[in-house]
Amino acid sequence: MISKTVIDRDGQKLGKIIRIDDIMIKNLEKTKPFAVILIKHLFFRNRIFPMPIASPTQFNVKENIVQLNITKKEFTNLFKLYQTERKIKAKSAKLMEVSDKDAAVAITLWAR
């Protein structure tokens, strides 16, 4: 499935599969396979979306094409949900506090 084009149920192009990863899920303590899909945008930077592989009937693999059993609208909703979850995790992450020694070194280096 690697380096094949991903299309939706109606035949519209969604992206390209870069790799297949096994990602550890914290709650289940199991690994689950994810297809990492590269989504190209015209004016924005390219995005990467790890889509979970729930069942083999989810994908129809042909020569150079992988067809999903969902529409493009459902795929974009999944992608937007993934992006908002990432933003929430990034905002709620605890940042490391700077020690007084590191702050003093940074100030002296910045002053030079």
Side-chain angles (χ1 to χ4, degrees):
M1 286 179 40
I2 297 174
S3 74
K4 292 189 178 185
T5 305
V6 180
I7 60 172
D8 69 344
R9 185 184 323 160
D10 302 326
Q12 294 180 346
K13 184 178 177 181
L14 300 175
K16 186 176 186 179
I17 295 180
I18 301 173
R19 65 182 184 268
I20 305 283
D21 287 342
D22 289 332
I23 298 176
M24 183 77 149
I25 299 173
K26 293 181 182 178
N27 299 340
L28 302 176
E29 296 181 2
K30 296 180 182 177
T31 58
K32 190 172 184 182
F34 281 81
V36 180
I37 300 172
L38 176 70
I39 302 169
K40 292 191 176 187
H41 292 285
L42 292 175
F43 300 108
F44 304 110
R45 63 181 183 184
N46 296 337
R47 305 286 183 171
I48 295 176
F49 174 54
M51 184 172 181
I53 301 172
S55 66
T57 60
Q58 182 179 2
F59 296 101
N60 294 331
V61 181
K62 297 178 183 174
E63 294 175 10
N64 291 332
I65 297 173
V66 175
Q67 185 176 11
L68 297 177
N69 291 333
I70 59 175
T71 61
K72 187 169 185 170
K73 186 174 182 180
E74 292 170 346
F75 182 80
T76 53
N77 287 340
L78 286 173
F79 179 66
K80 287 179 183 178
L81 179 68
Y82 167 73
Q83 282 187 321
T84 54
E85 286 177 356
R86 283 190 65 202
K87 287 179 184 177
I88 290 171
K89 285 181 185 177
K91 285 183 180 179
S92 66
K94 294 182 181 177
L95 300 176
M96 225 172 86
E97 292 186 18
V98 178
S99 66
D100 294 332
K101 182 180 176 183
D102 291 338
V105 169
I107 290 172
T108 54
L109 291 176
W110 184 71
R112 289 183 184 180

